[in-house]
Every structure is written in structure tokens, then in C-alpha cells.
């Protein structure tokens, strides 16, 4: 017991010392953390001030020198060529450069789709330079491959007109701003051309002799497109068997309505004695095969087109009518 009563102060002193040391340590740690936080807040404020200063300097330089973002707009889309297999489009884009220095066109990225179906996409690198304080019309050439479109999308029918959306992104390098993108889009319609169908209805003879025979071919030309065709020129050659009977060109203008049939009469002259057995088989009343190949030059709402015409595998047969001067043509396949 004496040893316990002799050391109460010692035990008490140890307890007080231990508590005081912990409190002092906590206070010091708290002060250090507060100083650290104050330092971070002070550092963050300083960085923000530096950023603001640099931004202000940049704006003043921009105002003094006159830097600005270029603008772009689609001026027009024209079609220098459109045919059965492809269409060549040229997109004219007017780009204005308000800056005191020329700016380079780094890339031109383009895409054409139709109701979400990609028709064509491409990239044109190093597309030129836009002069200082000036404007340039930049031409973006694009080719649509109709054969590829028809084979890729079965629901796109030949002869139809489909909507399209053109998206173009210009990547330019502008001082102060750096590289920026200028997006553009333009919508429209494009046809998927289908070649017309040609048939020989009959051949009407006006004068028949072995030396020279004059006749008129009665043709049916069917437009299977969803747009009208303004016929400017018809060039064709007709064979009976392996013998070329006539090669002709018709320049009379006519209009072939969409999904319509136009009747045409084309006079021609030939010498039966110079031809082979096919002509004689037809004259004797026997059937002989015929074929027609050529092209038509037509105007459409989408531009001028040159479309092929051909008919292979038809059969002609001479039939005496009351006037005894018609060759009726029947097509057999």
C-alpha cells in the first residue's frame, strides 16, 4: 500500500504529460494543414490570375491584329456528268478568311447518305490556302457509283429518286485559334437512272426492190424512270441476224413522261441484195432474230444524260396485211 500511496503524483504527472503532448501534436498538425490549404488556395488563385492575364492578352492581340474565325457556305451543287453508272458532283463552297494572314485548308472530310445509308465518303488532304482578308470558292468533287449503290442497297430501285444529305467538314489552321472545324450540310435529291426500253412494233415498207428499199421503223421507247426525259438525240443501229440493216440518227425533240411510252417513226433505206440470209428469211416469211443498240441524249431535272438503249433476242416475222406492205414484228424471248 505504501508504494501505491508514495507514487500517486508520478502516475498523475504521466497522465497529464501524455494528454498535453497529444493536444499539442494535434494543434500543430491542424495548423500545418491550414497553412497547406491556404497555400493551395493561394496557388490556385495565382494560376487563375495568370490564365485570365493570358486570355486578356490574347483578346487584345486578336483585336489589334484582327484575327477571327473563317466562315463557309455552300454556294451551289452542280452535276457535270450523270449517266447510268455514275454521277459526278461538284460542291462549290465559299470560304471567307477575315484574318491578316493566309490560312491553310488542312483537310476536307465529306459524307453523303440517304436516310442513314452511306452512299459515299472521302477525305481530301492539303486542299489549298485561303488568302488573307479574302474569300475563295473551294470545289469539292464527289463521285456517286450507282452500280455500287444498287448492289449494296437492294431497296434502292433503279429509276427512283432518293433524298440525300451532304455533310462537309473543313479543317483549317488559324493563328490564335489553332485548328478548328467548319461543318456544313446540304440536302437534296439524286436519281438512280434506269435505261429506257426499246421495242420495234413494225416495219412499214414504202417501196421494195432488191436494189433499194425504203421503209419506216415504228419504235416504242419506254421511260422506266420516275422523272421525265427530254429527248434531244437518238442514235441506233439495227441488225437482222448478223446483218446491219440500218444505222440512223434522229434529232427531233420529244418528251418522254416518267413511266411513260413514246411512239417514234424512223425512216430508213437499205439494199436487200447486199444483205445476208437473215433478210431473205424474213421476206420468205421465216422468223429471224433482230437486235437494236444505241444511245439517247436527254435532258432531265438533274442535268443532261446519255443513256444506252439495247434490245437483243427479238424475232421478226413478215406478215402480209391488207395493204400488203407491213412487216409486223413480234418479240420472242
Amino acid at each position: 500500500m505504501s508504494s501505491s500511496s508514495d507514487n500517486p503524483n508520478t502516475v498523475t504527472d504521466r497522465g497529464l504529460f501524455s494528454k498535453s503532448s497529444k493536444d499539442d501534436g494535434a494543434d500543430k498538425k491542424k495548423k500545418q494543414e491550414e497553412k497547406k490549404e491556404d497555400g493551395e488556395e493561394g496557388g490556385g488563385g495565382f494560376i487563375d490570375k495568370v490564365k485570365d492575364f493570358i486570355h486578356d492578352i490574347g483578346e487584345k492581340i486578336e483585336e489589334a491584329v484582327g484575327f477571327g474565325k473563317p466562315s463557309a457556305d455552300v454556294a451551289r451543287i452542280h452535276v457535270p456528268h450523270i449517266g447510268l453508272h455514275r454521277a459526278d458532283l461538284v460542291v462549290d463552297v465559299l470560304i471567307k478568311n477575315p484574318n491578316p494572314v493566309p490560312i491553310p485548308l488542312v483537310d476536307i472530310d465529306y459524307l453523303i447518305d440517304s436516310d442513314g445509308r452511306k452512299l459515299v465518303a472521302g477525305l481530301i488532304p492539303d486542299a489549298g490556302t485561303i488568302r488573307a482578308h479574302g474569300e475563295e470558292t473551294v470545289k469539292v468533287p464527289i463521285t456517286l457509283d450507282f452500280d455500287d449503290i444498287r448492289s449494296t442497297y437492294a431497296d434502292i430501285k433503279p429509276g427512283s429518286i432518293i433524298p440525300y444529305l451532304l455533310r462537309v467538314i473543313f479543317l483549317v489552321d488559324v493563328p490564335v485559334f489553332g485548328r478548328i472545324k467548319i461543318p456544313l450540310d446540304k440536302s437534296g435529291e439524286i436519281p438512280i437512272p434506269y435505261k429506257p426500253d426499246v421495242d420495234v412494233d413494225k416495219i412499214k415498207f414504202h417501196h421494195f426492190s432488191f436494189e433499194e428499199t425504203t421503209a419506216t421503223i415504228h419504235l416504242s421507247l419506254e421511260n422506266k424512270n420516275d422523272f421525265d426525259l427530254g429527248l434531244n438525240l437518238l442514235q441506233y443501229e439495227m441488225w437482222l441476224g448478223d446483218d446491219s440493216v440500218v444505222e440512223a440518227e434522229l434529232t427531233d425533240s420529244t418528251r418522254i413522261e416518267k413511266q411513260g411510252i413514246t411512239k417514234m417513226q424512223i425512216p430508213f433505206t437499205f439494199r436487200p441484195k447486199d444483205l445476208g440470209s437473215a433478210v431473205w428469211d424474213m421476206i420468205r416469211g421465216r422468223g429471224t432474230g433482230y437486235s437494236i443498240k444505241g444511245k439517247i441524249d436527254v435532258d432531265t431535272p438533274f442535268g443532261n444524260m446519255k443513256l444506252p438503249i439495247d434490245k437483243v433476242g427479238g424475232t421478226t416475222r413478215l406478215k402480209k396485211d391488207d395493204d400488203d406492205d407491213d412487216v409486223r414484228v413480234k418479240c420472242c424471248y
Side-chain angles (χ1 to χ4, degrees), residues 149-189:
I149 292 172
R150 284 189 289 260
S151 63
T152 303
Y153 305 108
D155 58 323
I156 296 181
K157 302 299 183 183
S160 62
I161 300 173
I162 61 173
Y164 74 83
L165 178 62
L166 167 68
R167 295 184 177 93
V168 183
I169 296 177
F170 292 88
L171 181 61
V172 297
D173 198 349
V174 183
V176 177
F177 294 98
R179 291 193 173 186
I180 63 173
K181 294 180 179 180
I182 307 175
L184 294 173
D185 58 68
K186 188 78 171 179
S187 60
E189 292 183 328

Coordinates of all heavy atoms in Angstrom, one line a residue, residues 149-189:
I149 N -24.1 1.4 -105.4 CA -25.3 1.7 -104.6 C -26.4 0.7 -104.8 O -27.0 0.2 -103.8 CB -25.8 3.1 -104.9 CG1 -24.8 4.2 -104.4 CG2 -27.2 3.4 -104.3 CD1 -25.1 5.6 -104.9
R150 N -26.6 0.3 -106.0 CA -27.7 -0.7 -106.3 C -27.3 -2.0 -105.7 O -28.2 -2.8 -105.3 CB -27.9 -0.8 -107.8 CG -28.7 0.4 -108.4 CD -29.0 0.1 -109.9 NE -27.9 0.1 -110.7 CZ -27.6 1.2 -111.5 NH1 -28.3 2.3 -111.5 NH2 -26.5 1.2 -112.3
S151 N -26.0 -2.4 -105.8 CA -25.6 -3.7 -105.3 C -25.6 -3.8 -103.8 O -25.8 -4.8 -103.1 CB -24.3 -4.1 -105.8 OG -23.3 -3.2 -105.4
T152 N -25.4 -2.6 -103.1 CA -25.3 -2.5 -101.7 C -26.7 -2.5 -101.0 O -26.9 -3.1 -100.0 CB -24.5 -1.3 -101.2 OG1 -23.2 -1.4 -101.8 CG2 -24.3 -1.3 -99.7
Y153 N -27.6 -1.7 -101.6 CA -28.9 -1.4 -101.0 C -30.0 -1.9 -102.0 O -30.3 -1.2 -103.0 CB -29.1 0.0 -100.7 CG -28.0 0.6 -99.8 CD1 -27.1 1.5 -100.3 CD2 -27.9 0.2 -98.5 CE1 -26.1 2.0 -99.5 CE2 -27.0 0.7 -97.6 CZ -26.0 1.6 -98.1 OH -25.0 2.1 -97.3
A154 N -30.5 -3.1 -101.7 CA -31.5 -3.7 -102.6 C -32.8 -2.9 -102.7 O -33.6 -3.0 -103.6 CB -31.8 -5.2 -102.2
D155 N -33.1 -2.1 -101.6 CA -34.3 -1.4 -101.6 C -34.3 -0.1 -102.4 O -35.3 0.5 -102.6 CB -34.7 -1.0 -100.1 CG -33.6 -0.2 -99.4 OD1 -32.4 -0.5 -99.7 OD2 -33.9 0.7 -98.6
I156 N -33.1 0.3 -102.9 CA -33.0 1.4 -103.8 C -33.2 0.9 -105.2 O -32.3 0.2 -105.8 CB -31.6 2.1 -103.6 CG1 -31.5 2.7 -102.2 CG2 -31.5 3.2 -104.6 CD1 -30.2 3.4 -102.0
K157 N -34.3 1.2 -105.8 CA -34.7 0.7 -107.1 C -34.2 1.6 -108.2 O -34.2 2.8 -108.1 CB -36.2 0.6 -107.2 CG -36.9 -0.2 -106.1 CD -36.4 -1.7 -106.1 CE -37.0 -2.5 -105.1 NZ -36.5 -3.9 -105.1
P158 N -33.7 0.9 -109.3 CA -33.3 1.7 -110.5 C -34.5 2.5 -111.0 O -35.6 2.0 -111.1 CB -32.9 0.6 -111.5 CG -32.5 -0.6 -110.6 CD -33.5 -0.5 -109.5
G159 N -34.2 3.7 -111.4 CA -35.2 4.6 -111.9 C -35.8 5.5 -110.8 O -36.6 6.4 -111.1
S160 N -35.5 5.3 -109.6 CA -36.1 6.0 -108.5 C -35.3 7.3 -108.2 O -34.2 7.5 -108.6 CB -36.2 5.2 -107.2 OG -34.9 4.8 -106.8
I161 N -35.9 8.2 -107.4 CA -35.3 9.4 -106.9 C -35.2 9.3 -105.4 O -36.2 9.0 -104.7 CB -36.1 10.7 -107.3 CG1 -36.3 10.7 -108.8 CG2 -35.5 11.9 -106.8 CD1 -37.2 11.9 -109.3
I162 N -34.0 9.5 -104.9 CA -33.8 9.3 -103.5 C -33.3 10.6 -102.8 O -32.6 11.4 -103.5 CB -32.8 8.2 -103.2 CG1 -31.4 8.5 -103.8 CG2 -33.3 6.8 -103.7 CD1 -30.3 7.5 -103.4
P163 N -33.7 10.9 -101.6 CA -33.1 12.0 -100.9 C -31.7 11.8 -100.5 O -31.3 10.7 -100.2 CB -34.1 12.2 -99.7 CG -34.5 10.8 -99.4 CD -34.6 10.1 -100.7
Y164 N -30.9 12.9 -100.3 CA -29.6 12.7 -99.8 C -29.3 13.9 -98.9 O -29.9 15.0 -98.9 CB -28.5 12.7 -101.0 CG -28.3 14.0 -101.6 CD1 -27.4 15.0 -101.1 CD2 -28.9 14.3 -102.8 CE1 -27.2 16.2 -101.7 CE2 -28.7 15.5 -103.5 CZ -27.8 16.5 -102.9 OH -27.6 17.7 -103.5
L165 N -28.3 13.6 -98.0 CA -27.8 14.7 -97.1 C -26.3 14.7 -97.2 O -25.6 13.7 -97.0 CB -28.2 14.4 -95.7 CG -27.7 15.4 -94.6 CD1 -28.2 16.8 -94.9 CD2 -28.0 15.0 -93.2
L166 N -25.8 15.9 -97.7 CA -24.3 16.0 -97.8 C -23.8 16.7 -96.6 O -24.3 17.8 -96.1 CB -24.0 16.9 -99.0 CG -22.6 17.5 -99.2 CD1 -21.6 16.3 -99.4 CD2 -22.5 18.5 -100.3
R167 N -22.7 16.1 -96.0 CA -22.0 16.7 -94.8 C -20.6 16.9 -95.2 O -19.9 16.0 -95.7 CB -22.1 15.8 -93.6 CG -23.5 15.6 -93.1 CD -23.5 14.8 -91.8 NE -24.8 14.6 -91.2 CZ -25.6 13.6 -91.4 NH1 -25.2 12.6 -92.3 NH2 -26.8 13.5 -90.9
V168 N -20.1 18.2 -95.0 CA -18.7 18.5 -95.3 C -18.1 19.2 -94.1 O -18.8 20.1 -93.5 CB -18.6 19.4 -96.5 CG1 -17.1 19.7 -96.9 CG2 -19.3 18.8 -97.7
I169 N -16.9 18.8 -93.7 CA -16.2 19.4 -92.6 C -14.9 19.9 -93.1 O -14.1 19.1 -93.7 CB -16.0 18.4 -91.4 CG1 -17.3 18.0 -90.9 CG2 -15.1 19.0 -90.4 CD1 -17.2 16.9 -89.8
F170 N -14.6 21.2 -93.0 CA -13.4 21.8 -93.3 C -12.5 22.0 -92.1 O -12.9 22.6 -91.1 CB -13.6 23.2 -94.0 CG -14.2 23.1 -95.3 CD1 -15.6 23.1 -95.4 CD2 -13.5 23.1 -96.5 CE1 -16.2 23.1 -96.7 CE2 -14.1 23.0 -97.7 CZ -15.5 23.0 -97.8
L171 N -11.3 21.4 -92.1 CA -10.3 21.6 -91.0 C -9.3 22.7 -91.4 O -8.6 22.5 -92.4 CB -9.6 20.3 -90.7 CG -8.6 20.3 -89.6 CD1 -9.3 20.7 -88.3 CD2 -7.9 19.0 -89.4
V172 N -9.3 23.8 -90.7 CA -8.5 24.9 -91.1 C -7.6 25.3 -89.9 O -7.9 25.0 -88.8 CB -9.3 26.2 -91.5 CG1 -10.1 25.9 -92.8 CG2 -10.2 26.6 -90.4
D173 N -6.4 25.8 -90.2 CA -5.4 26.2 -89.2 C -5.4 27.7 -89.1 O -4.9 28.4 -90.0 CB -4.0 25.6 -89.6 CG -3.1 25.6 -88.4 OD1 -3.4 26.2 -87.4 OD2 -2.0 25.0 -88.5
V174 N -5.9 28.3 -88.0 CA -6.0 29.7 -87.8 C -5.1 30.2 -86.7 O -5.2 29.6 -85.6 CB -7.5 30.1 -87.5 CG1 -7.6 31.6 -87.4 CG2 -8.4 29.6 -88.6
P175 N -4.3 31.2 -86.9 CA -3.5 31.7 -85.8 C -4.4 32.2 -84.6 O -5.5 32.6 -84.8 CB -2.8 32.9 -86.4 CG -2.7 32.6 -87.9 CD -4.0 31.9 -88.2
V176 N -3.8 32.0 -83.4 CA -4.5 32.3 -82.2 C -5.5 31.2 -81.8 O -5.5 30.7 -80.7 CB -5.2 33.7 -82.2 CG1 -6.0 34.0 -80.9 CG2 -4.2 34.8 -82.4
F177 N -6.4 30.9 -82.8 CA -7.4 29.9 -82.5 C -6.9 28.5 -82.6 O -7.4 27.5 -82.0 CB -8.6 30.0 -83.5 CG -9.4 31.3 -83.3 CD1 -9.1 32.4 -84.1 CD2 -10.3 31.4 -82.3 CE1 -9.8 33.6 -84.0 CE2 -11.0 32.6 -82.2 CZ -10.8 33.7 -83.0
G178 N -5.9 28.3 -83.5 CA -5.4 26.9 -83.8 C -6.2 26.2 -84.8 O -6.9 26.9 -85.7
R179 N -6.3 24.9 -84.8 CA -7.0 24.2 -85.8 C -8.5 24.1 -85.4 O -8.8 23.7 -84.3 CB -6.5 22.7 -85.9 CG -5.1 22.7 -86.6 CD -4.7 21.3 -87.0 NE -3.5 21.3 -87.8 CZ -3.0 20.3 -88.4 NH1 -3.6 19.1 -88.3 NH2 -1.9 20.4 -89.1
I180 N -9.4 24.5 -86.3 CA -10.8 24.5 -86.0 C -11.5 23.8 -87.1 O -11.0 23.7 -88.3 CB -11.4 25.9 -85.8 CG1 -11.2 26.7 -87.1 CG2 -10.7 26.6 -84.6 CD1 -11.9 28.1 -87.0
K181 N -12.7 23.3 -86.8 CA -13.6 22.6 -87.8 C -14.7 23.5 -88.2 O -15.4 24.1 -87.4 CB -14.1 21.3 -87.3 CG -13.0 20.2 -87.0 CD -13.6 18.9 -86.5 CE -12.5 17.9 -86.3 NZ -13.1 16.6 -85.7
I182 N -15.0 23.5 -89.5 CA -16.2 24.3 -90.0 C -17.1 23.2 -90.7 O -16.9 22.8 -91.8 CB -15.8 25.3 -91.1 CG1 -14.7 26.2 -90.5 CG2 -17.0 26.1 -91.5 CD1 -14.1 27.2 -91.5
P183 N -18.2 22.9 -90.0 CA -19.1 21.9 -90.6 C -20.2 22.5 -91.4 O -20.7 23.6 -91.2 CB -19.8 21.3 -89.3 CG -19.7 22.4 -88.3 CD -18.5 23.3 -88.6
L184 N -20.6 21.9 -92.5 CA -21.6 22.3 -93.4 C -22.5 21.1 -93.8 O -22.0 19.9 -93.8 CB -21.0 22.9 -94.7 CG -20.2 24.2 -94.6 CD1 -19.6 24.4 -96.0 CD2 -21.1 25.3 -94.2
D185 N -23.7 21.3 -94.1 CA -24.6 20.3 -94.6 C -25.6 20.8 -95.6 O -26.0 22.0 -95.5 CB -25.3 19.5 -93.5 CG -26.2 20.4 -92.6 OD1 -27.2 20.9 -93.2 OD2 -25.9 20.6 -91.5
K186 N -26.0 20.0 -96.6 CA -26.9 20.4 -97.6 C -27.7 19.2 -98.0 O -27.1 18.1 -98.2 CB -26.1 21.0 -98.8 CG -26.9 21.6 -99.9 CD -27.4 23.0 -99.5 CE -28.0 23.7 -100.7 NZ -28.5 25.0 -100.4
S187 N -29.0 19.4 -98.2 CA -29.8 18.3 -98.6 C -30.3 18.5 -100.0 O -30.4 19.6 -100.5 CB -31.0 18.1 -97.6 OG -31.8 19.3 -97.6
G188 N -30.8 17.4 -100.6 CA -31.3 17.4 -102.0 C -31.8 16.1 -102.4 O -32.0 15.2 -101.6
E189 N -31.9 15.9 -103.7 CA -32.4 14.7 -104.3 C -31.5 14.3 -105.5 O -30.9 15.1 -106.2 CB -33.8 14.8 -104.8 CG -34.9 14.9 -103.7 CD -36.3 15.0 -104.3 OE1 -36.5 15.4 -105.4 OE2 -37.2 14.5 -103.6

